[in-house]
Amino acid sequence: MSVAQKITEETLQKAVIYCRVSSSKQTKRGDGLGSQETRCREYARMRGYDVIQVFSDDMSGGLIDRPGMKEMLSFLKKHKKTAQHVVIIDDINRFSRDVMVHWQLRSKLSAAGGKLESPSIEFGDDSDAVLIENLLASVSQHQRQKNAEQTRNRMRARVLNGYHVFQAPVGYRFERASGSGKILVRDEPVASILQEALEGFASGRFETQVEVKRFLESQPAYPKDLPNGEIRNQRIADVLTRVLYAGYVEVPHWDVSLRKGKHEGIISFETFERIQQRLKSGAKAPARKDISSDFPLRGFILCDDCQKPLTACWSKSRSGKKHPYYLCPTKGCASYRKSIRRDVLEGEFEDLICSLQPTETLFDMARAMFHDAWENELAQAGDAANTLRQGIKRIEKQIEGILDRILDSGNETVVKAYEQRVAKLEREKAIAEEKLAKASQPKHTLEEAFELALRFLSSPWNIWKKGDIALQKTVLRLAFLDPVAYSRKQGLRTAEIALPFKVLAGFKCNQCEMAHRGGFEPPTPRFVVWCSIQLSYRCLWVRRSGYPDD
């Protein structure tokens, strides 16, 4: 290197370049950072500056904490004693888009030993230069705020038309549709997993949010929040309260009330409302983690002396062999810590399950009653649809009347009460419209609709014997209304079985009597179907996990 070249490099003033775009998308879809850097380097050559480093950010100019800006300020402070550096920006709005942020950064830049320059504006310390800088900073802030307003207004208008405009939630993904832009579609297999979880909570398969959490954590395909494979509790609460999964959109802080969305719901709105009712019904005891396949009746069988759930454990004998026992853990109880052999208790319980199984002849008769009632319900579907239409018109009329009262009222408290009433009526209308859409023609045949319920009714013992712990727990919930007590002296006490089994038992025992003067209501086919519909809803999830082979 010649002496002239060395002197020239030492006398050149050092400079750095700062570039910024509003989002990370702009770094991928465009060349905003590159074009800014090119213009700044051209300016540096014209002024005879030596550019030694380039810093950049991809975030809003209204923020003061930016990684690139912090890195540049640290660099300037580090080299402050050796030389003053010129900081070159393409335009003032690349530096900041907020007046207060602009002057805070200007102060930090000066303290770090930097001097701001731009090919678009001449910075100075005199009153005229400061006035122009203030005006340009104000204009930049106004442009940012105006862009935000326009974006928000366009997003709100799209939500009013039933489109989701925010990030796609778990279970959905965006897909571009002709004439509609981006629309939410199911993201499989996550959507089906989430549907199972939501319907399971609505039907009572999952008693608590913790059980929903454990179920989702057990699914490898479902995205997790934490590195250890767990999901945050707040995420579960958000999923259970998100009306988007029912096919509706609602943005209260934009004054957008509940309305039908353009996307397909993962669950029905009626299911969503059942979930909200369960969430409001109060806290329930959490599902026990210590329930295993070794003791499927743990927590279900009660001690007959104190009516508290039995616990269970393995006991080691002197020979070192382990033996399974159930026992009462309640202090002060007459049966406290007194063991009951597992094979004795579970043997009696299996006999109870076997007694629920109807004979083949009786089950064929029940199936025929299902068919007759199904045909009867189809014939009445038209009347039900007309009733729903009348109900919808009545709700719409009530809403119109309340809206007129809101316009006439000047009391904020009264207006708020009216608005809450309108919101409630809108939800009732949504449920009625959903029922009307289903009332005209069922989506499934009799066999498809009641397959799981019929299989369960025909052989609960087979499912109990061959199923895993999850299926065994489901049998307990579906077949019995309450836990069953056990006496060490008398064995299992009388069990309160579910309604479908009660009706079948009534037929089995030929319970007949003369009609009283006031009459009585025998178990009608329609009643049997109603009972089994409730059972079928709670069995639907097993279609995915699979029943054991018959």
Side-chain angles (χ1 to χ4, degrees):
M1 181 183 295
S2 65
V3 176
Q5 289 178 329
K6 186 175 181 180
I7 294 174
T8 302
E9 288 187 1
E10 289 178 351
T11 56
L12 284 176
Q13 187 168 0
K14 306 296 183 182
V16 297
I17 294 174
Y18 177 76
C19 308
R20 185 191 63 81
V21 290
S22 299
S23 65
S24 58
K25 287 185 179 180
Q26 293 181 348
T27 63
K28 299 175 182 178
R29 297 183 178 180
D31 191 31
L33 293 176
S35 60
Q36 291 178 45
E37 182 180 344
T38 300
R39 189 160 185 256
C40 291
R41 285 188 179 277
E42 183 182 11
Y43 174 81
R45 283 196 300 269
M46 292 174 58
R47 301 299 296 266
Y49 297 151
D50 179 21
V51 177
I52 56 177
Q53 197 157 346
V54 178
F55 303 92
S56 63
D57 279 310
D58 54 0
M59 57 179 53
S60 171
L63 300 174
I64 192 169
D65 292 327
R66 310 176 211 157
M69 179 64 72
K70 287 182 176 180
E71 186 181 355
M72 183 181 71
L73 292 173
S74 297
F75 176 85
L76 294 175
K77 289 178 181 178
K78 182 178 180 181
H79 299 85
K80 180 179 179 180
K81 293 182 179 180
T82 58
Q84 183 185 43
H85 289 75
V86 175
V87 178
I88 306 174
I89 58 174
D90 178 46
D91 198 357
I92 193 170
N93 57 18
R94 298 300 93 197
F95 186 67
S96 71
R97 302 197 72 170
D98 183 278
V99 176
M100 292 183 63
V101 171
H102 176 87
W103 287 109
Q104 288 180 37
L105 290 177
R106 287 280 273 128
S107 176
K108 290 184 177 182
L109 192 67
S110 298
K115 179 185 177 184
L116 193 63
E117 291 190 16
S118 170
S120 303
I121 178 178
E122 185 174 348
F123 296 97
D125 296 329
D126 59 284
S127 59
D128 291 339
V130 172
L131 174 62
I132 293 174
E133 188 174 350
N134 264 320
L135 289 173
L136 292 175
S138 297
V139 170
S140 182
Q141 174 177 309
H142 174 265
Q143 290 175 344
R144 176 179 62 85
Q145 293 173 338
K146 193 65 177 178
N147 289 340
E149 288 178 6
Q150 292 176 346
T151 301
R152 183 168 58 251
N153 290 337
R154 286 194 293 267
M155 292 173 67
R156 182 179 182 275
R158 190 162 172 79
V159 175
L160 287 171
N161 288 330
Y163 293 94
H164 180 69
V165 297
F166 306 103
Q167 182 179 1
V170 176
Y172 282 110
R173 59 181 173 84
F174 278 113
E175 188 174 279
R176 192 170 295 278
S178 178
S180 301
K182 290 185 177 180
I183 190 171
L184 289 177
V185 296
R186 292 173 65 106
D187 183 20
E188 298 294 352
V190 178
S192 295
I193 295 172
L194 192 58
Q195 180 179 356
E196 183 177 345
L198 293 172
E199 291 178 347
F201 186 79
S203 66
R205 171 194 170 190
F206 304 121
E207 289 289 343
T208 64
Q209 297 184 49
V210 174
E211 292 185 56
V212 177
K213 178 176 180 288
R214 291 175 189 161
F215 167 75
L216 293 177
E217 289 173 346
S218 68
Q219 303 297 319
Y222 194 85
K224 311 302 189 296
D225 292 341
L226 304 174
N228 60 358
E230 291 188 5
I231 301 174
R232 291 184 176 88
N233 294 331
Q234 186 58 45
R235 285 285 298 277
I236 302 300
D238 292 342
V239 164
L240 293 174
T241 56
R242 197 157 198 171
V243 74
L244 193 74
Y245 291 123
Y248 285 77
V249 294
E250 182 182 32
V251 186
H253 64 274
W254 282 355
D255 198 25
V256 179
S257 59
L258 185 73
R259 62 200 60 230
K260 191 74 176 70
K262 299 295 184 181
H263 62 284
E264 176 190 357
I266 289 179
I267 58 174
S268 67
F269 190 78
E270 187 176 6
T271 300
F272 174 79
E273 287 294 282
R274 287 206 305 270
I275 291 174
Q276 307 317 301
Q277 291 173 4
R278 291 206 62 210
L279 291 174
K280 295 176 182 177
S281 63
K284 298 182 182 294
R288 297 174 61 107
K289 287 186 176 182
D290 56 357
I291 292 179
S292 66
S293 57
D294 293 339
F295 302 100
L297 295 177
R298 182 176 188 170
F300 178 78
I301 300 296
L302 306 180
C303 172
D304 191 47
D305 293 323
C306 64
Q307 298 301 309
K308 297 295 179 62
L310 295 180
T311 187
C313 66
W314 289 89
S315 178
K316 185 182 293 186
S317 63
R318 293 182 179 178
S319 63
K321 186 178 180 180
K322 291 185 176 181
H323 303 276
Y325 291 98
Y326 287 91
L327 65 154
C328 178
T330 307
K331 293 183 179 180
C333 176
S335 298
Y336 174 62
R337 303 300 296 178
K338 294 184 178 179
S339 302
I340 305 168
R341 288 170 52 192
R342 183 182 67 177
D343 57 347
V344 173
L345 192 155
E346 292 186 0
E348 291 188 30
F349 187 79
E350 287 183 9
D351 292 339
L352 174 61
I353 294 287
C354 287
S355 69
L356 300 179
Q357 185 164 324
T359 63
E360 185 176 348
T361 303
L362 180 61
F363 188 73
D364 289 341
M365 182 179 69
R367 186 186 292 273
M369 294 174 66
F370 270 102
H371 184 272
D372 293 341
W374 178 266
E375 295 297 329
N376 186 44
E377 289 295 326
L378 289 180
Q380 295 179 2
D383 295 336
N386 291 331
T387 301
L388 287 171
R389 290 191 188 96
Q390 294 174 4
I392 292 172
K393 290 180 180 179
R394 184 169 60 253
I395 293 174
E396 291 175 344
K397 189 174 181 180
Q398 291 179 10
I399 292 175
E400 290 177 3
I402 294 176
L403 291 177
D404 291 338
R405 295 178 188 176
I406 291 176
L407 294 175
D408 296 336
S409 176
N411 189 311
E412 293 184 2
T413 304
V414 174
V415 169
K416 187 175 181 180
Y418 282 151
E419 289 175 345
Q420 292 175 350
R421 176 59 178 160
V422 169
K424 184 178 180 181
L425 288 172
E426 288 286 0
R427 298 182 102 82
E428 293 178 3
K429 178 184 173 183
I431 294 176
E433 289 176 341
E434 192 174 74
K435 289 182 178 179
L436 179 61
K438 298 178 181 178
S440 56
Q441 187 67 29
K443 294 182 179 180
H444 305 286
T445 63
L446 171 64
E447 289 73 17
E448 292 172 338
F450 294 105
E451 173 195 357
L452 297 180
L454 291 173
R455 291 183 66 185
F456 178 75
L457 288 172
S458 65
S459 184
W461 179 85
N462 187 52
I463 298 172
W464 171 266
K465 195 66 177 176
K466 296 183 179 181
D468 57 16
I469 183 64
L471 283 175
Q472 289 177 331
K473 288 297 176 182
T474 303
V475 170
L476 297 179
R477 289 177 179 173
L478 297 179
F480 300 94
L481 298 179
D482 296 303
V484 182
Y486 184 87
S487 170
R488 292 185 299 107
K489 297 179 180 180
Q490 300 176 353
L492 284 175
R493 312 300 287 171
T494 303
E496 189 68 19
I497 62 176
L499 283 175
F501 291 106
K502 280 186 178 180
V503 174
L504 291 174
F507 289 136
K508 183 177 180 180
C509 298
N510 296 319
Q511 293 178 354
C512 302
E513 59 179 291
M514 295 294 294
H516 303 296
R517 184 179 298 274
F520 62 87
E521 290 294 333
T524 63
R526 187 170 182 178
F527 176 71
V528 177
V529 172
W530 178 86
C531 294
S532 295
I533 285 175
Q534 312 307 312
L535 181 63
S536 184
Y537 279 134
R538 302 186 69 184
C539 283
L540 282 176
W541 66 273
V542 188
R543 184 185 298 276
R544 300 183 183 91
S545 56
Y547 272 110
D549 296 332
D550 291 337

